[in-house]
Amino acid sequence: MKRLALGYGVAAAVLCACPFALGPYWLDVLNNVGLYVLLALSLNLILGDAGLFNMGHAAFYAVGAYTAAILNTRFHVPVLWLLPVSGVVAALFATAVARPVVHLRGDYLLIVTIGLGEIVRIALVNDVLGLTGGANGIFGISRPSVLGHRIRRPDEFFWLIWACVALTVFLFHRLEQSRFGRALTYLREDAVAAEGSGVPTARYRLLAFALGAAWAGMTGTLYAAKMTIISPESFGFWESVVLFLMVILGGAGSIPGVVVGAALVVGLPELFRGFATARMLVFGLVMMVMMVVRPQGLLPFRMGRFKPSDLDAALGARGAGGGGAGAGGGPAEPGADGAARGAEVAK
C-alpha cells in the first residue's frame, strides 16, 4: 500500500509539472489520455472487477455524450451540470439493456455487447427522433465554466480532466475495499462459488454494468465539452476494442495497471508519429509480444496474501474470547494453544 501511494504521489507530481513544461499539442495528448483513463477505469469495473466481457462500452460513452449535447444545445443547460444527468441516463440505459442478458457468460455476453454497440451507433446515424443530427452529429456544444471562467485552452482542460481522473482513482480504490467490491471479486474468481455463498450474482452483475456505464456517460460529457462537436463515428466498434485492449494490456482488475495501459495505448502512437504508417506496425508488434510474454498484463491484480502471523492472531483472538464452551459443546480452545495450532497449520 505504501508503495502504491508513493507511485501515485510521483505520478501526480509529474502531471502537475506538465502544464508548465509542455506545449499545447502534448497537453492535448495528455487530455486525451485522461479521457481514455476514465473510460478504461469504467470498463475495468465491468471487465476486470466483475469478469464480464463487454465489447460495447462505447455505447454507454455515446449515450452520455449525446445526452449532454442535446440538453446543452437545445435547452442551454451548463455542461458541467449535466455530468450527473448523463451518468444517470447511461446507467438507466445499461440497466435496461443488460437485464435480459446479464446471465450470459464469456463469449456469449461478448457477442451480445458487440451487437449493442453497433445498434446504438446505427441509431445515432439514423437520427433517432430527430435529436442526434444523423451522420453529421451535433455542433455548437458550449465549453464548461468553473466559477464563471470558461475553459478553452488545453492547459485549462488539463486540470479539469485530470482532477476527474484523481477523484475516480480514489473512489474506485475505496470501492474495491467495500463489500460491493469484494462481492465483484468473488464473482470474477468463481461465480458458482459466489452464488453458493449467498452472493446475488445477477444483481451484482447488473450493478457493475450500471456503475461502469454511468462513469462512461459522464466521461462522454467531458468529451463533448472538450470537442464542442460529436458524431457517431467517434463511438464506433473500434473505440470499444481499444478500451478492451487497455484493460487487458494493463492488467484486468488492477487500477494502476489500467491507468498505465490507457497511457501506453494512447500515448505510444503519438510518440512514434514521426514513423508515419510504420508506427501502427510497431504498436501492433508490441501488443503481440506483450500478449505472449505477459498475458496477465503489465500490472496484474493481486489477491491479498495471508501470513502465518495473521492466522495465529485470529486463532488466538478466538481462543481468548471464547472463554466458555465452544459451538459444538466442547471446551473453548485457549489462546496460546490456538496460536500454536495456527502455527502448525501455517507450516
Side-chain angles (χ1 to χ4, degrees), residues 122-151:
I122 293 172
L124 295 176
V125 171
N126 288 321
D127 195 11
V128 178
L129 301 177
L131 296 174
T132 64
N136 293 325
I138 299 177
F139 299 80
I141 304 168
S142 64
R143 302 282 193 180
S145 297
V146 177
L147 299 178
H149 175 72
R150 190 171 295 276
I151 298 175

Short mmCIF file of all heavy atoms in Angstrom, two decimals, residues 122-151:
data_model
loop_
_atom_site.label_atom_id
_atom_site.label_comp_id
_atom_site.label_asym_id
_atom_site.label_seq_id
_atom_site.Cartn_x
_atom_site.Cartn_y
_atom_site.Cartn_z
N ILE A 122 -25.74 2.78 -35.11
CA ILE A 122 -26.65 2.89 -36.27
C ILE A 122 -27.84 3.77 -35.92
O ILE A 122 -28.32 4.56 -36.75
CB ILE A 122 -27.10 1.48 -36.71
CG1 ILE A 122 -25.91 0.71 -37.28
CG2 ILE A 122 -28.20 1.57 -37.76
CD1 ILE A 122 -26.20 -0.75 -37.55
N ALA A 123 -28.33 3.65 -34.69
CA ALA A 123 -29.44 4.51 -34.28
C ALA A 123 -29.03 5.98 -34.30
O ALA A 123 -29.82 6.86 -34.72
CB ALA A 123 -29.90 4.11 -32.87
N LEU A 124 -27.82 6.29 -33.89
CA LEU A 124 -27.35 7.67 -33.92
C LEU A 124 -27.22 8.18 -35.36
O LEU A 124 -27.55 9.33 -35.67
CB LEU A 124 -26.00 7.79 -33.20
CG LEU A 124 -26.01 7.49 -31.69
CD1 LEU A 124 -24.60 7.54 -31.13
CD2 LEU A 124 -26.92 8.46 -30.95
N VAL A 125 -26.73 7.32 -36.25
CA VAL A 125 -26.59 7.71 -37.65
C VAL A 125 -27.95 7.98 -38.28
O VAL A 125 -28.10 8.89 -39.12
CB VAL A 125 -25.84 6.61 -38.44
CG1 VAL A 125 -25.88 6.88 -39.94
CG2 VAL A 125 -24.40 6.49 -37.96
N ASN A 126 -28.97 7.24 -37.86
CA ASN A 126 -30.31 7.39 -38.43
C ASN A 126 -31.12 8.50 -37.78
O ASN A 126 -32.33 8.62 -38.05
CB ASN A 126 -31.07 6.06 -38.33
CG ASN A 126 -30.54 5.02 -39.30
OD1 ASN A 126 -30.19 5.34 -40.43
ND2 ASN A 126 -30.45 3.79 -38.85
N ASP A 127 -30.48 9.29 -36.94
CA ASP A 127 -31.11 10.48 -36.35
C ASP A 127 -32.41 10.12 -35.62
O ASP A 127 -33.52 10.51 -36.02
CB ASP A 127 -31.38 11.53 -37.44
CG ASP A 127 -31.69 12.90 -36.85
OD1 ASP A 127 -31.49 13.06 -35.63
OD2 ASP A 127 -32.13 13.78 -37.60
N VAL A 128 -32.25 9.39 -34.52
CA VAL A 128 -33.40 8.94 -33.74
C VAL A 128 -34.20 10.13 -33.22
O VAL A 128 -33.66 11.03 -32.58
CB VAL A 128 -32.94 8.06 -32.57
CG1 VAL A 128 -34.12 7.63 -31.72
CG2 VAL A 128 -32.20 6.86 -33.09
N LEU A 129 -35.51 10.15 -33.51
CA LEU A 129 -36.44 11.20 -33.07
C LEU A 129 -36.00 12.60 -33.48
O LEU A 129 -36.43 13.60 -32.90
CB LEU A 129 -36.60 11.14 -31.54
CG LEU A 129 -37.13 9.82 -30.95
CD1 LEU A 129 -37.16 9.90 -29.43
CD2 LEU A 129 -38.50 9.51 -31.50
N GLY A 130 -35.11 12.66 -34.47
CA GLY A 130 -34.64 13.97 -34.93
C GLY A 130 -33.77 14.70 -33.94
O GLY A 130 -33.63 15.93 -34.01
N LEU A 131 -33.15 13.97 -33.00
CA LEU A 131 -32.38 14.60 -31.93
C LEU A 131 -30.87 14.47 -32.10
O LEU A 131 -30.12 15.30 -31.59
CB LEU A 131 -32.77 13.98 -30.57
CG LEU A 131 -34.20 14.19 -30.11
CD1 LEU A 131 -34.45 13.40 -28.83
CD2 LEU A 131 -34.48 15.67 -29.89
N THR A 132 -30.41 13.44 -32.80
CA THR A 132 -28.97 13.13 -32.81
C THR A 132 -28.21 13.76 -33.97
O THR A 132 -26.99 13.66 -34.02
CB THR A 132 -28.76 11.61 -32.84
OG1 THR A 132 -29.27 11.08 -34.08
CG2 THR A 132 -29.47 10.95 -31.68
N GLY A 133 -28.91 14.37 -34.92
CA GLY A 133 -28.21 15.03 -36.02
C GLY A 133 -27.73 14.11 -37.11
O GLY A 133 -27.02 14.56 -38.02
N GLY A 134 -28.06 12.83 -37.04
CA GLY A 134 -27.65 11.89 -38.09
C GLY A 134 -26.15 11.73 -38.16
O GLY A 134 -25.43 11.83 -37.16
N ALA A 135 -25.67 11.50 -39.38
CA ALA A 135 -24.23 11.28 -39.59
C ALA A 135 -23.41 12.53 -39.29
O ALA A 135 -22.21 12.44 -39.00
CB ALA A 135 -23.97 10.81 -41.01
N ASN A 136 -24.01 13.69 -39.38
CA ASN A 136 -23.29 14.94 -39.11
C ASN A 136 -23.08 15.20 -37.63
O ASN A 136 -22.21 15.99 -37.25
CB ASN A 136 -24.04 16.12 -39.73
CG ASN A 136 -24.05 16.06 -41.23
OD1 ASN A 136 -23.07 15.63 -41.85
ND2 ASN A 136 -25.15 16.50 -41.84
N GLY A 137 -23.87 14.58 -36.79
CA GLY A 137 -23.71 14.76 -35.36
C GLY A 137 -24.32 16.05 -34.86
O GLY A 137 -25.21 16.64 -35.48
N ILE A 138 -23.82 16.53 -33.73
CA ILE A 138 -24.33 17.74 -33.08
C ILE A 138 -23.20 18.75 -32.95
O ILE A 138 -22.11 18.42 -32.48
CB ILE A 138 -24.91 17.41 -31.69
CG1 ILE A 138 -26.07 16.42 -31.83
CG2 ILE A 138 -25.39 18.67 -30.99
CD1 ILE A 138 -26.67 15.99 -30.50
N PHE A 139 -23.47 19.99 -33.37
CA PHE A 139 -22.47 21.06 -33.33
C PHE A 139 -22.84 22.07 -32.25
O PHE A 139 -23.96 22.10 -31.74
CB PHE A 139 -22.42 21.79 -34.68
CG PHE A 139 -22.04 20.93 -35.84
CD1 PHE A 139 -22.98 20.10 -36.45
CD2 PHE A 139 -20.75 20.93 -36.34
CE1 PHE A 139 -22.64 19.31 -37.53
CE2 PHE A 139 -20.40 20.14 -37.42
CZ PHE A 139 -21.35 19.32 -38.01
N GLY A 140 -21.87 22.93 -31.93
CA GLY A 140 -22.14 24.08 -31.08
C GLY A 140 -22.31 23.78 -29.61
O GLY A 140 -23.00 24.53 -28.89
N ILE A 141 -21.70 22.71 -29.12
CA ILE A 141 -21.76 22.41 -27.68
C ILE A 141 -20.90 23.44 -26.95
O ILE A 141 -19.76 23.72 -27.35
CB ILE A 141 -21.26 20.99 -27.41
CG1 ILE A 141 -22.07 19.98 -28.24
CG2 ILE A 141 -21.34 20.65 -25.94
CD1 ILE A 141 -21.46 18.60 -28.27
N SER A 142 -21.42 23.98 -25.89
CA SER A 142 -20.69 25.05 -25.19
C SER A 142 -19.55 24.49 -24.34
O SER A 142 -19.58 23.33 -23.92
CB SER A 142 -21.65 25.86 -24.31
OG SER A 142 -22.18 25.04 -23.29
N ARG A 143 -18.57 25.34 -24.10
CA ARG A 143 -17.45 24.97 -23.23
C ARG A 143 -17.89 24.99 -21.77
O ARG A 143 -18.80 25.72 -21.40
CB ARG A 143 -16.29 25.96 -23.42
CG ARG A 143 -15.76 26.05 -24.82
CD ARG A 143 -14.88 24.89 -25.15
NE ARG A 143 -14.13 25.12 -26.39
CZ ARG A 143 -13.28 24.28 -26.92
NH1 ARG A 143 -13.08 23.11 -26.33
NH2 ARG A 143 -12.65 24.55 -28.03
N PRO A 144 -17.24 24.19 -20.93
CA PRO A 144 -17.59 24.22 -19.50
C PRO A 144 -17.09 25.49 -18.82
O PRO A 144 -16.10 26.10 -19.25
CB PRO A 144 -16.87 22.98 -18.96
CG PRO A 144 -15.74 22.75 -19.89
CD PRO A 144 -16.21 23.19 -21.24
N SER A 145 -17.77 25.86 -17.76
CA SER A 145 -17.37 27.04 -16.98
C SER A 145 -17.22 26.64 -15.51
O SER A 145 -18.03 25.87 -14.98
CB SER A 145 -18.42 28.15 -17.10
OG SER A 145 -18.53 28.60 -18.43
N VAL A 146 -16.17 27.16 -14.88
CA VAL A 146 -15.91 26.92 -13.47
C VAL A 146 -15.77 28.27 -12.79
O VAL A 146 -14.88 29.06 -13.13
CB VAL A 146 -14.63 26.07 -13.26
CG1 VAL A 146 -14.34 25.91 -11.78
CG2 VAL A 146 -14.77 24.73 -13.94
N LEU A 147 -16.68 28.56 -11.86
CA LEU A 147 -16.68 29.84 -11.12
C LEU A 147 -16.70 31.02 -12.07
O LEU A 147 -16.00 32.04 -11.87
CB LEU A 147 -15.46 29.91 -10.19
CG LEU A 147 -15.37 28.82 -9.11
CD1 LEU A 147 -14.09 28.98 -8.30
CD2 LEU A 147 -16.59 28.86 -8.20
N GLY A 148 -17.47 30.90 -13.15
CA GLY A 148 -17.60 31.99 -14.11
C GLY A 148 -16.52 32.05 -15.16
O GLY A 148 -16.61 32.86 -16.09
N HIS A 149 -15.50 31.21 -15.04
CA HIS A 149 -14.41 31.21 -16.02
C HIS A 149 -14.65 30.09 -17.04
O HIS A 149 -14.78 28.93 -16.68
CB HIS A 149 -13.06 31.00 -15.33
CG HIS A 149 -11.91 30.88 -16.30
ND1 HIS A 149 -11.43 31.96 -17.01
CD2 HIS A 149 -11.17 29.80 -16.68
CE1 HIS A 149 -10.42 31.55 -17.77
NE2 HIS A 149 -10.26 30.25 -17.60
N ARG A 150 -14.72 30.47 -18.31
CA ARG A 150 -14.96 29.48 -19.36
C ARG A 150 -13.65 28.81 -19.75
O ARG A 150 -12.64 29.46 -20.04
CB ARG A 150 -15.57 30.16 -20.59
CG ARG A 150 -16.09 29.16 -21.64
CD ARG A 150 -16.87 29.88 -22.72
NE ARG A 150 -18.07 30.50 -22.19
CZ ARG A 150 -19.23 29.86 -22.03
NH1 ARG A 150 -19.32 28.57 -22.34
NH2 ARG A 150 -20.29 30.49 -21.56
N ILE A 151 -13.66 27.49 -19.73
CA ILE A 151 -12.46 26.70 -20.03
C ILE A 151 -12.34 26.52 -21.54
O ILE A 151 -13.25 25.99 -22.18
CB ILE A 151 -12.53 25.34 -19.32
CG1 ILE A 151 -12.59 25.54 -17.81
CG2 ILE A 151 -11.34 24.46 -19.70
CD1 ILE A 151 -12.78 24.26 -17.03
#
